[in-house]
């Protein structure tokens, strides 16, 4: 059994449903410490929803010929492997072909909750670094791990709160690989070099409740809201760009009425969401929505929640290193994509200029009988290791 597969199975066997970590971070810290990583726990949140966070960093030893240590005003670049140890609940246990937290092999596949999302990626991170340091004990950059047990949940006390702490203490990050399952059919066929932003709104339109037989004595907020909602649904917010789809506005829920068929409601609540690209900003989108609502003369209140800003990493040091590693390991010319939902990359991108997501195929994530092809595991680890090697070559060539 390979070291990567062994560590993956150990992680799967720990039932780390959000926000529980179930010992995953202790296991990983035990693996990282002998390699020279300084491990810092940055746990956060209330006792009944305590989130476990691990920041592990290995500082490089940098020297110049005959000059001694590099001066502090020439900072060492930092490459971060980021991910989450938490998993979504398994769902009905009777529907699983085998227990979700007992790693099982069938037909060349490894089954278990977290197999694809994303315990295999974390195991591959660790082993890739082990192998890299065996041949390059003094790399030209620092290597770090940022791991949390709250990515599948509220995502409040996980990576988000760690990044806020990093801002305060001036922690420097240069490149980040998030191990999300981004591939489609074969490991490496797609990486995410950015993500759209997400912003939700809860709109309450007020009317006057009354008897449905006497509409002249009431004011129906649903009727009043419909023209404005139709205009918002038909609005072209932007046209996207070479990396992003156009910004999308979608209604997710409408709540109105008392439950009685003869009562005009006094208010209606509309939940909606923007998935927006870098052609728009949260401020510009909010302004345009308010302009539509005001133009229609609605009596309303609107509460905004920004889940994350969009981020984009254009081809450069990190993208080039990952693409070359994938090509060398698999022969695939990987596709750059910004589609899909959000990840913790949206928080990391606030202080890290180059963030990408790259992991195994995602067809079974969050499903009953989540699995990964065993044949995908070692190539994934090799891609991460070769990415390290490619960045090392870039750094030493540019030195």
């Amino acid at each position: 059994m390979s070291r990567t597969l062994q560590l993956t199975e150990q992680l799967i066997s720990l039932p780390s449903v959000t926000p529980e970590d179930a010992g995953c971070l202790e296991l990983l810290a035990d693996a990282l410490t002998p390699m020279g990583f300084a491990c810092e726990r940055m746990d956060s949140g209330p006792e009944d929803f305590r989130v476990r966070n691990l920041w592990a960093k290995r500082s490089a030893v940098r020297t110049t010929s005959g000059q001694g240590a590099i001066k502090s005003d020439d900072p060492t670049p930092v490459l971060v492997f980021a991910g989450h140890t938490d998993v979504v609940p398994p769902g009905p246990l009777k529907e699983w072909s085998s227990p979700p937290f007992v790693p099982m092999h069938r037909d060349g596949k490894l089954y278990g909750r977290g197999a694809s999302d994303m315990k295999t990626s974390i195991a591959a991170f660790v082993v890739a670094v082990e192998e890299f340091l065996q041949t390059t004990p003094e790399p030209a950059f620092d290597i770090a791990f940022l791991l949390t047990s709250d990515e599948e949940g509220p995502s409040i006390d996980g990576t988000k709160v760690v990044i806020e702490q990093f801002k305060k203490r001036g922690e420097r990050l240069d490149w980040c690989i998030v191990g999300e399952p981004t591939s489609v059919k074969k490991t490496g066929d797609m990486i995410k070099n950015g993500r759209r932003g997400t912003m939700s709104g809860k709109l309450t339109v007020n009317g006057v409740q009354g008897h449905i037989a006497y509409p002249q004595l009431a004011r129906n907020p649903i009727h009043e809201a419909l023209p404005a909602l139709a205009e918002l649904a038909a609005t072209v917010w932007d046209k996207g760009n070479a990396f992003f789809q156009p910004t999308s506005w979608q209604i997710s829920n409408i709540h109105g009425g008392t439950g009685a068929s003869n009562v005009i409601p006094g208010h209606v609540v509309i939940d909606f969401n923007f998935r927006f690209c870098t052609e728009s900003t949260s401020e510009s989108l909010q302004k345009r929505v308010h302009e539509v609502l005001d133009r229609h003369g609605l009596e309303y209140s609107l509460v905004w929640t920004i889940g994350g800003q969009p981020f984009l990493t254009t081809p450069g040091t990190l993208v080039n290193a990952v693409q070359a590693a994938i090509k060398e390991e698999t022969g695939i010319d990987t596709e750059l994509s910004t589609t899909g939902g959000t990840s913790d990359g949206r928080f990391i991108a606030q202080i890290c200029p180059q963030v990408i997501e790259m992991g195994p195929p995602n067809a079974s994530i969050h499903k009953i009988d989540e699995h990964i092809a065993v044949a995908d595991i070692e190539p994934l680890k090799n891609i991460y290791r070769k990415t390290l090697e490619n960045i090392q070559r870039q750094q030493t060539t540019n030195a």
Side-chain angles (χ1 to χ4, degrees):
M1 180 185 296
S2 74
R3 166 71 172 138
T4 315
L5 178 56
Q6 179 187 41
L7 184 54
T8 299
E9 291 189 357
Q10 288 178 292
L11 291 169
I12 290 174
S13 68
L14 299 172
S16 53
V17 177
T18 311
E20 295 301 324
D21 172 69
C24 290
L25 293 183
E26 286 81 1
L27 176 66
L28 295 166
D30 287 344
L32 294 171
T33 300
M35 289 186 271
F37 283 84
C39 295
E40 176 185 1
R41 291 293 292 268
M42 302 180 69
D43 299 352
S44 180
E47 288 304 317
D48 61 345
F49 202 92
R50 193 69 173 168
V51 172
R52 280 71 177 177
N53 300 309
L54 175 66
W55 171 244
K57 185 176 181 182
R58 184 186 189 276
S59 297
V61 178
R62 300 185 70 204
T63 60
T64 56
S65 58
Q67 299 297 317
I70 295 292
K71 295 179 181 179
S72 59
D73 59 357
D74 184 13
T76 309
V78 183
L79 183 144
V80 181
F81 290 104
H84 59 91
T85 58
D86 62 316
V87 297
V88 296
L93 298 180
K94 64 182 181 181
E95 296 184 18
W96 282 74
S97 301
S98 55
F101 298 109
V102 178
M104 296 291 290
H105 290 255
R106 294 192 300 277
D107 302 320
K109 299 173 182 177
L110 171 63
Y111 286 82
R113 178 57 87 219
S116 290
D117 190 13
M118 54 175 286
K119 292 184 173 180
T120 299
S121 295
I122 293 175
F125 284 163
V126 172
V127 179
V129 171
E130 284 179 349
E131 294 181 355
F132 173 69
L133 292 176
Q134 287 171 3
T135 60
T136 313
E138 295 185 3
F141 50 93
D142 295 349
I143 303 173
F145 286 78
L146 175 52
L147 305 172
T148 181
S149 69
D150 180 29
E151 193 275 345
E152 300 289 8
S155 299
I156 295 173
D157 287 295
T159 301
K160 180 179 181 180
V161 76
V162 173
I163 294 300
E164 291 302 319
Q165 290 298 313
F166 284 180
K167 289 178 182 178
K168 293 177 182 178
R169 70 192 202 187
E171 194 76 51
R172 173 191 173 94
L173 308 181
D174 294 272
W175 313 295
C176 179
I177 300 174
V178 185
E180 291 290 347
T182 59
S183 301
V184 182
K185 294 182 179 179
K186 185 177 179 181
T187 291
D189 62 8
M190 179 180 287
I191 64 175
K192 303 292 184 180
N193 66 317
R195 292 282 192 173
R196 294 176 294 176
T198 176
M199 179 170 65
S200 297
K202 182 175 285 291
L203 169 65
T204 302
V205 178
N206 299 312
V208 176
Q209 182 174 312
H211 196 293
I212 207 161
Y214 301 95
Q216 71 277 14
L217 302 177
R219 197 173 82 246
N220 195 318
I222 298 177
H223 292 184
E224 292 185 350
L226 287 177
L229 297 180
E231 181 175 341
L232 291 169
T235 297
V236 176
W237 304 96
D238 57 51
K239 296 183 179 179
N241 55 37
F243 294 98
F244 284 99
Q245 298 172 332
T247 291
S248 168
W249 182 86
Q250 295 291 323
I251 294 173
S252 57
N253 290 284
I254 297 180
H255 310 274
T258 64
S261 62
N262 62 350
V263 177
I264 293 173
H267 65 271
V268 61
V269 179
I270 300 101
D271 297 314
F272 62 82
N273 179 266
F274 277 106
R275 293 301 167 104
F276 61 105
C277 73
T278 52
E279 295 297 305
S280 295
T281 66
S282 54
E283 294 81 7
S284 69
L285 294 172
Q286 290 182 19
K287 182 175 182 291
R288 292 176 67 182
V289 170
H290 282 285
E291 288 174 348
V292 171
L293 299 175
D294 293 341
R295 187 167 58 252
H296 284 270
L298 298 180
E299 180 185 330
Y300 71 92
S301 62
L302 178 51
V303 178
W304 294 99
T305 302
I306 300 174
Q309 299 289 349
F311 70 91
L312 177 67
T313 299
T314 55
T317 299
L318 183 59
V319 170
N320 294 346
V322 175
Q323 285 180 314
I326 292 170
K327 181 70 173 179
E328 181 182 353
E329 178 65 23
T330 69
I332 295 173
D333 292 312
T334 190
E335 178 183 352
L336 298 179
S337 172
T338 60
T339 59
T342 59
S343 77
D344 277 355
R346 69 190 189 274
F347 304 125
I348 299 166
Q350 296 175 23
I351 63 169
C352 184
Q354 298 185 47
V355 180
I356 65 102
E357 302 169 25
M358 187 269 157
N362 55 25
S364 72
I365 62 174
H366 292 205
K367 292 183 177 180
I368 301 293
D369 284 347
E370 180 181 349
H371 61 269
I372 184 171
V374 174
D376 275 326
I377 295 176
E378 285 303 293
L380 178 65
K381 177 264 296 179
N382 292 340
I383 290 168
Y384 293 147
R385 189 195 72 241
K386 290 177 180 179
T387 297
L388 290 164
E389 294 168 351
N390 290 340
I391 291 179
Q392 173 71 11
R393 279 192 290 271
Q394 291 176 20
Q395 293 302 110
T396 53
T397 299
N398 296 333

